Amino acid sequence: MSPRDLRTRFVAPRLRQLWRGIDRAASAQGALRMRSWLVERLAARVAGRRWRCPRRTVPRALLLAPIVAVGAAACSMSDRRQNNDYLLNLRISDGRLLRQAVGGESATTILVYDPADCFACYGALESFLGWRRNRAGAVLLVFTRLPTPDEARALAPLRIVPDVVLDSTAMELRRRTPFGIWLRNDSIVTVDQFREGDIRPPLLDSAMAHKHAALSSNRWMGVRRLLHTPAVQNVVNGTTS
Amino acid sequence: MMVIRSRASAASTQSLSMQSLRTLTSLGACVLLTVGCRDRASARQEAPAAAASASERRISSSEAGSGPRLVAVDSIRLSEPDTLFLGRPRDLAVDGLEGHLFVSDSYDDRVVEYDRNGTPLRVYGTRGGGPGEFSEIGGVFVDDSSVYAEDVGQRRLHVFRRADGSLERTVLTDGAVGSGAVAGGTLWLGVMDRAHGSAVTALGPDGVPRYIAPLPVEYTTSEPIAGIFTSSHVLVAGDTLVVALMAAPTIFVLDTSGTVRTSLTVPAARRRGVPRDTVAAMARMKFPEMFGAVSALFRMGLLEQGRIGLVHYDQSISERTGSITAKIFLSVVDPARRRACIDAPVPASPDAQPQVAFRGDTLFLLEQIVDGTNSTSVVRTFAVETDSCRWVEVDPPAR
């Protein structure tokens, strides 16, 4: 019995049987069908049938190119994310770098928003702005661009006025907003994207003396990590002037 | 004879008992049927049949005259310190006794009470999901002792004591509360409730809800109408209820048991009105167009002499910026004489997202005036005068 016969007589029927079982289970549960072109391709190969591209006219290179491109982009993005220092070197509208706009506080929170973002959705902003009123320099509100007249009109009643506006080279950031950058002694401790939902700002609560809530909360991991740094502990304990 | 008689009497007794058994059985069946029918009847009462709306008549502006006259009386600038400013006013209520202003603010999810000079006096509620907290604040209304504020996000109504701002109780609702009133120990809530087919939920002292006032047919047949124009408005005057839905042209007058006494369809002159076949028209439209297809009833108030004030918003969404603008119109209806003075333009900035409220014959208008990056909240008051009105006839209900 040749290997081809072996595949045709024994392996292929068992694979088909297995496949039917999977398919039946999937439809019985009403779940998404589990069949994918990769599995089909594998089954066809084992059964001795050559897998063919659904459209023969499309060269494989064309199919592979987006995958390679996405992979490369993801790799470069992860590299970039690992090193967030470039964020402080972004240029702002008056020509300075963002790090030059940070005040002399030992712990600073930079909130980066696009003017079109939902300012009421993340729960934290109003509290941070309250903190900014009390401790100028501890919170920096950054816009990725200047608001349009309509946006400015909508923002005015909310009393949302940015401290700085990034210049147009920071266009790519608009896809990531809103997010926060936490600094200790002018170095980035963490960068966190805001997630919609019931987010309480434990750091802020701490600063406002709701220490218990801050320490027991584990929702905002970036802040939690920051919470245990000496600089923030000073803020929490009110020992920083 | 005696035996025969006794047998006969026994037989007659037997037949009597058989007859009475049959009678009892049929009586029982009747009772069961009656109970069953009564059950069905009460079920019908819980789900009132949809009310027929009449088509709105369109008349010319010259025929309608200029509408009720709005005479500016006062302008109150609300004091807004940095920790207590109004970010996004959602609703305005005015207390009938002292004239205090109550503004629900959906930016900070709380109600702020101001005195007649615009000084903040008290804050009711805060953001959150707990007792007395709002996940998304909605409308507000007041009586002499309590503040009623809706938590749209959690479908409930918080009742706060005005004396100290504390939470008195929380009431669960079956939908968005368009307006409310307290009368005769009952809480009357304008709730557009498709499940019960009702426009008003009445909560008596026992706390058991009664679903009354039928929904207009538009609301039972059109998803866009019921989904976009959700508010139901209710007024209570003695034993009479006045009910109107946000995008239905007909106002219903009912007794407190929910029986419709009459209906009034107010003609449109300057306002957009409601298209003749709204349901079919809506089915052909896309969302931004639907939003601006009808005049939306935003406020209904009880004026002096049993008249009813109606405030309609003709809203538009800018497709370019997504911002909402509105033209506002005031009409006064005299239900006793079946006439109306319609469509006086309310002098509000189209992009100020104004909120309105009535107190007697006074209209209150809350606007946010923006100058650069500064915003000021101002409440202007207008006396509603009908002396120079050109009254038009309101239409009878459709048959």
Side-chain angles (χ1 to χ4, degrees):
Chain A
M1 189 178 282
S2 70
R4 186 185 173 87
D5 286 341
L6 188 75
R7 284 194 315 223
T8 317
R9 281 189 179 186
F10 294 102
V11 182
R14 271 164 189 77
L15 254 175
R16 281 198 202 100
Q17 203 176 356
L18 175 71
W19 172 244
R20 273 200 295 273
I22 291 171
D23 211 10
R24 224 177 288 139
S27 30
Q29 288 167 12
L32 289 172
R33 287 176 72 84
M34 295 163 76
R35 190 186 297 248
S36 73
W37 70 270
L38 272 172
V39 178
E40 265 184 334
R41 182 183 171 181
L42 179 70
R45 279 209 162 173
V46 173
R49 192 159 46 85
R50 252 184 90 81
W51 175 79
R52 289 188 306 180
C53 179
R55 287 188 183 181
R56 299 182 69 185
T57 50
V58 181
R60 282 190 195 183
L62 264 183
L63 282 175
L64 289 173
I67 299 169
V68 172
V70 168
C75 289
S76 72
M77 199 176 283
S78 72
D79 281 350
R80 193 131 199 212
R81 276 186 187 158
Q82 278 166 11
N83 182 8
N84 283 309
D85 284 345
Y86 81 99
L87 290 170
L88 293 181
N89 294 326
L90 290 171
R91 206 160 282 284
I92 57 178
S93 54
D94 62 6
R96 290 182 301 158
L97 300 180
L98 181 58
R99 69 167 69 246
Q100 292 170 311
V102 175
E105 291 278 332
S106 57
T108 305
T109 304
I110 303 175
L111 306 169
V112 186
Y113 275 77
D114 187 86
D117 281 333
C118 171
F119 288 87
C121 289
Y122 303 93
L125 183 67
E126 177 49 31
S127 310
F128 273 108
L129 295 184
W131 195 16
R132 183 176 68 166
R133 280 192 289 271
N134 298 330
R135 289 182 70 110
V139 176
L140 199 71
L141 179 63
V142 176
F143 273 5
T144 52
R145 60 179 170 86
L146 276 172
T148 64
D150 277 330
E151 287 166 347
R153 212 219 155 276
L155 291 172
L158 308 181
R159 303 203 177 177
I160 292 173
V161 182
D163 297 295
V164 295
V165 178
L166 297 177
D167 81 356
S168 55
T169 57
M171 293 259 298
E172 63 164 293
L173 281 184
R174 291 180 200 169
R175 289 195 301 271
R176 287 177 62 183
T177 60
F179 65 92
I181 307 168
W182 281 267
L183 301 178
R184 180 163 57 88
N185 297 329
D186 298 339
S187 302
I188 293 180
V189 176
T190 187
V191 176
D192 259 354
Q193 203 158 4
F194 298 164
R195 289 168 290 274
E196 198 161 356
D198 182 21
I199 297 169
R200 302 297 303 171
L203 173 62
L204 187 85
D205 285 347
S206 308
M208 292 178 165
H210 302 301
K211 292 178 194 172
H212 178 72
L215 294 169
S216 63
S217 170
N218 61 357
R219 301 198 104 175
W220 212 355
M221 293 308 288
V223 177
R224 215 168 116 83
R225 282 196 300 273
L226 186 66
L227 196 63
H228 297 290
T229 59
V232 175
Q233 282 299 310
N234 287 340
V235 177
V236 173
N237 298 325
T239 50
T240 304
S241 59
Chain B
M1 273 304 279
M2 281 296 289
V3 176
I4 294 168
R5 200 181 288 157
S6 68
R7 272 186 191 164
S9 73
S12 69
T13 314
Q14 203 176 356
S15 74
L16 258 177
S17 64
M18 283 298 287
Q19 267 181 357
S20 54
L21 190 67
R22 272 183 211 143
T23 315
L24 274 173
T25 313
S26 45
L27 264 173
C30 277
V31 167
L32 279 173
L33 272 172
T34 316
V35 169
C37 291
R38 203 174 281 166
D39 277 352
R40 268 179 235 149
S42 62
R44 269 202 302 273
Q45 195 182 0
E46 279 180 11
S53 272
S55 289
E56 192 180 66
R57 188 161 47 102
R58 182 134 211 112
I59 60 174
S60 66
S61 299
S62 57
E63 197 182 339
S66 54
R69 202 155 67 94
L70 285 165
V71 181
V73 175
D74 201 359
S75 177
I76 306 161
R77 183 181 166 158
L78 301 183
S79 170
E80 297 178 273
D82 280 343
T83 51
L84 200 60
F85 63 89
L86 295 173
R88 204 172 288 148
R90 177 74 180 258
D91 199 9
L92 169 70
V94 188
D95 125 49
L97 208 62
E98 297 164 303
H100 287 186
L101 307 164
F102 297 79
V103 183
S104 63
D105 181 9
S106 61
Y107 184 60
D108 277 317
D109 290 312
R110 61 191 178 189
V111 176
V112 186
E113 177 183 357
Y114 297 88
D115 69 9
R116 298 175 74 151
N117 301 316
T119 307
L121 298 176
R122 180 162 282 143
V123 174
Y124 302 89
T126 183
R127 181 180 294 147
E133 296 179 340
F134 299 96
S135 60
E136 186 192 343
I137 200 167
V140 60
F141 60 96
V142 293
D143 65 9
D144 295 347
S145 59
S146 305
V147 175
Y148 306 80
E150 184 196 8
D151 183 2
V152 183
Q154 311 235 10
R155 288 202 169 182
R156 57 188 186 172
L157 185 82
H158 292 315
V159 186
F160 298 96
R161 292 180 191 89
R162 285 185 58 183
D164 57 5
S166 62
L167 181 70
E168 187 181 317
R169 63 186 165 126
T170 293
V171 176
L172 297 180
T173 62
D174 293 304
V177 180
S179 68
V182 183
T186 298
L187 183 57
W188 304 91
L189 300 175
V191 176
M192 194 277 295
D193 184 348
R194 290 182 95 191
H196 293 98
S198 59
V200 174
T201 304
L203 289 163
D206 57 1
V208 179
R210 275 195 305 135
Y211 303 101
I212 59 170
L215 281 179
V217 281
E218 300 92 312
Y219 278 81
T220 57
T221 53
S222 169
E223 294 296 330
I225 292 175
I228 300 170
F229 305 99
T230 54
S231 290
S232 169
H233 301 275
V234 60
L235 293 176
V236 187
D239 62 348
T240 302
L241 302 179
V242 182
V243 179
L245 273 294
M246 202 175 192
T250 304
I251 300 167
F252 296 95
V253 180
L254 309 96
D255 62 25
T256 47
S257 70
T259 307
V260 178
R261 286 179 183 159
T262 187
S263 60
L264 312 156
T265 303
V266 183
R270 288 179 196 85
R271 70 176 192 274
R272 204 176 277 148
V274 178
R276 188 160 286 276
D277 190 352
T278 335
V279 177
M282 286 278 182
R284 290 191 295 268
M285 293 177 194
K286 289 184 178 169
F287 171 71
E289 208 185 339
M290 287 174 190
F291 190 77
V294 301
S295 296
L297 179 66
F298 260 63
R299 182 65 74 193
M300 186 166 70
L302 195 63
L303 312 183
E304 306 291 333
Q305 300 170 354
R307 289 173 179 170
I308 301 162
L310 304 174
V311 179
H312 286 96
Y313 281 41
D314 282 2
Q315 301 179 97
S316 307
I317 298 184
S318 159
E319 289 204 29
R320 193 176 56 82
T321 62
S323 58
I324 300 171
T325 54
K327 287 180 183 169
I328 306 178
F329 298 94
L330 169 73
S331 301
V332 174
V333 183
D334 183 352
R337 299 168 77 169
R338 298 192 68 86
R339 60 181 192 167
C341 180
I342 59 171
D343 290 354
V346 175
S349 168
D351 58 356
Q353 301 188 2
Q355 301 295 334
V356 289
F358 285 101
R359 181 181 180 238
D361 279 350
T362 306
L363 178 73
F364 290 73
L365 178 76
L366 166 62
E367 288 181 289
Q368 290 194 294
I369 298 161
V370 174
D371 178 19
T373 56
N374 296 320
S375 167
T376 316
S377 301
V378 176
V379 175
R380 288 189 288 152
T381 60
F382 300 90
V384 179
E385 291 185 358
T386 54
D387 298 342
S388 56
C389 267
R390 187 176 297 170
W391 295 94
V392 295
E393 206 175 314
V394 296
D395 294 326
R399 299 205 180 272

